[in-house]
Amino acid sequence: MRMSVPAATAALIAGLAVLVAPALWNVSAAHAAAAVFVELNPSTVPAGDDLSLRASCDDNLEPATVTAEPIGTVTVQPEFGFLTANAEVPDATEAGDYPVTLKCPDGRTATSTLHVVEKVEPARGPATGFGGTASGTSATVMIGAGLATIAAGAALGVVALRRRRHG
């Protein structure tokens, strides 16, 4: 059975519509699901440190609220196409994982997790070998050897210049 060109074109367009429509539906559904989020930077902080909040509520034209046990309720404001704010985790916060909830003006929500760790102060700097971390007499011996090497190099340079002029 032969079809005319307009009928074949119509059949082709109808077939493409049947194949492409579900894919377009899935893309728009995925976009809508990803449009509402809340991010913490960093997501793991010691008690007493600051963190940045970045969120999105579709249009990002109105402020929204972010709530978490250690930081309380923080209003995120529109800035550079996102909703942003800074918060401080209080010093007295116990180590643990805390849920963070974004509530958009339209009622939609998103969640994330804040990981609070204990604040640890190092007792001393890292032991990285000789150099500036060398202690005792070995440091003065190394400095003296370095200066002696520089002086020997300068003396050899002077001798070499004299030989060139006289030779």
Side-chain angles (χ1 to χ4, degrees):
M1 166 181 213
R2 295 188 95 168
M3 293 187 353
S4 66
V5 172
T9 304
L12 178 65
I13 291 172
L16 285 175
V18 168
L19 292 174
V20 172
L24 290 176
W25 178 258
N26 288 338
V27 167
S28 64
H31 175 70
V36 177
F37 65 85
V38 59
E39 294 176 344
L40 312 169
N41 186 20
S43 63
T44 302
V45 296
D49 278 11
D50 293 334
L51 67 124
S52 297
L53 305 168
R54 186 174 89 141
S56 179
C57 288
D58 285 335
D59 62 7
N60 296 328
L61 297 176
E62 298 178 41
T65 58
V66 174
T67 306
E69 184 181 327
I71 62 172
T73 300
V74 177
T75 301
V76 286
Q77 299 287 340
E79 182 179 32
F80 306 121
F82 292 100
L83 302 172
T84 62
N86 292 319
E88 181 181 343
V89 178
D91 285 329
T93 304
E94 291 185 25
D97 295 339
Y98 297 91
V100 178
T101 304
L102 165 70
K103 184 166 185 193
C104 297
D106 64 2
R108 294 173 63 182
T109 62
T111 59
S112 187
T113 303
L114 172 62
H115 308 283
V116 177
V117 295
E118 290 184 30
K119 190 170 205 144
V120 178
E121 296 292 331
R124 63 183 189 98
T128 58
F130 276 145
T133 61
S135 61
T137 59
S138 62
T140 55
V141 169
M142 291 183 72
I143 292 172
L147 291 174
T149 303
I150 291 172
L156 287 174
V158 169
V159 169
L161 283 175
R162 284 189 156 183
R163 277 188 163 179
R164 196 180 271 176
R165 287 185 191 163
H166 295 299

